Each structure stands twice: as structure tokens, then as C-alpha cells.
Amino acid sequence: MRVIDIVPGTTVDGPGLRTAIYFAGCRHRCPGCHNPQSWSEEAGHEMEIDDILAVVDENGFDVTFSGGDPMFQAEELYKLARRIKESGRNIWCYTGYLYEDVMAHEFMRRVLDYVDVLVDGPFVEARKDRSVLFRGSSNQRLIDVARSTSAVAPVLWDGESFTAVF
């Protein structure tokens, strides 16, 4: 997998202390993106799943997938997400795709089997809003994946669906 960075102990990419894994590659190229260096699929360095898991285990926090757009590596992300979830950790995933588009794509949908909250939608500079929780723009949604898969429409995360691991 192409990884730009792994940041332990962040508090801005979901509730509690988290290990944020920033993946390379994003074709959304949102104007005003805070991380345009992540757009290139050649950015960062190659990491094996076991090496990523070693960092996650060493830190002991819940996990956030960010980037770039992690869903551009959905086939490998699925394997990583499954192994992280098996360790009992909560997973958040940021993507420029809408939840509905993720659900329509085989490998992206499989990743959601292990994701607790999906932060969906592109960053929209005109809707930039520092007051929205864990997002850059007000169009982005915090989707409670478990509740959404059994509902007709996406269910927004209520902030109480789980407890962060510290």
C-alpha cells in the first residue's frame, strides 16, 4: 500500500486519540484541499499490511484512514481494515466519494464491512466551515455505517455510537 504518513495520537480525525494513516492517491483534487501533496499515487512509500499493523498496535489507539483518498486503494484497504477491526479497534474512513457511490462499488463497499464511520463527500472550499465536527466543509457527512447498511438512506453518526479506545 502507498502510505504518506502514519500519525499517532491525533485528535482531529475522529473522537479520542487515534492513529491516522494517510494514504497516497486522490483523483478528486478538491480546490483548497489541505493535503494536495497526497494526490499523487506515487507519493509516500510502499508499506506492507503487517508493517502498518505493527505501528497501529504499538500506538494502541483507534484508527482513521485519510489521505489522499484511501478508497483508491480499496482492494488492499479491505484487508487492512479487516485485520484492524479484528484487533477490536474503531475505524473511521475519509473519502471524497459519497456513501451512495461507495456502496455501488464492490471493493469500496467491502471496506465498509469494517468501518464504523465514513466521512463522505469532497471538500468544497465555498462550504469550508471550521465549526463542523471532524470535517472540512459542511457538505461532508459523518455516516454511521452499521446503522446505514440496514436503513434505506444513510444514517448520520450521533456521536454516541461507540466509545473511543484510550
Side-chain angles (χ1 to χ4, degrees):
M1 302 185 79
R2 295 297 297 186
V3 175
I4 295 169
D5 199 7
I6 300 178
V7 178
T10 181
T11 59
V12 297
D13 297 318
L17 292 173
R18 308 183 73 78
T19 296
I21 305 168
Y22 293 89
F23 294 94
C26 185
R27 293 182 207 115
H28 302 296
R29 299 182 182 268
C30 303
C33 173
H34 78 283
N35 202 6
Q37 65 274 18
S38 68
W39 293 352
S40 171
E41 294 175 28
E42 301 302 316
H45 56 280
E46 198 68 30
M47 285 188 77
E48 297 295 324
I49 289 175
D50 286 338
D51 295 329
I52 297 170
L53 288 169
V55 175
V56 168
D57 289 341
E58 179 182 321
N59 295 319
F61 304 127
D62 287 330
V63 175
T64 296
F65 300 145
S66 192
D69 191 325
M71 290 298 186
F72 282 105
Q73 299 184 58
E75 290 184 48
E76 290 298 311
L77 188 65
Y78 163 78
K79 297 171 192 172
L80 176 63
R82 180 180 45 128
R83 299 223 7 229
I84 290 171
K85 186 52 82 175
E86 287 171 354
S87 72
R89 290 185 169 74
N90 169 273
I91 301 174
W92 279 42
C93 181
Y94 284 77
T95 182
Y97 292 107
L98 294 176
Y99 170 82
E100 295 82 355
D101 297 327
V102 171
M103 292 300 289
H105 185 278
E106 178 186 357
F107 284 107
M108 287 191 239
R109 182 179 63 247
R110 290 176 67 192
V111 170
L112 292 190
D113 290 342
Y114 304 103
V115 170
D116 296 284
V117 173
L118 182 74
V119 183
D120 81 335
F123 171 76
V124 176
E125 194 166 21
R127 296 187 66 184
K128 182 177 181 177
D129 186 345
R130 294 184 189 271
S131 70
V132 293
L133 187 63
F134 304 125
R135 294 163 284 168
S137 58
S138 61
N139 61 294
Q140 295 171 309
R141 303 176 294 182
L142 303 174
I143 306 292
D144 183 320
V145 176
R147 291 180 181 166
S148 296
T149 54
S150 62
V152 175
V155 177
L156 299 182
W157 178 66
D158 62 13
E160 299 177 10
S161 300
F162 50 82
T163 304
V165 174
F166 295 98

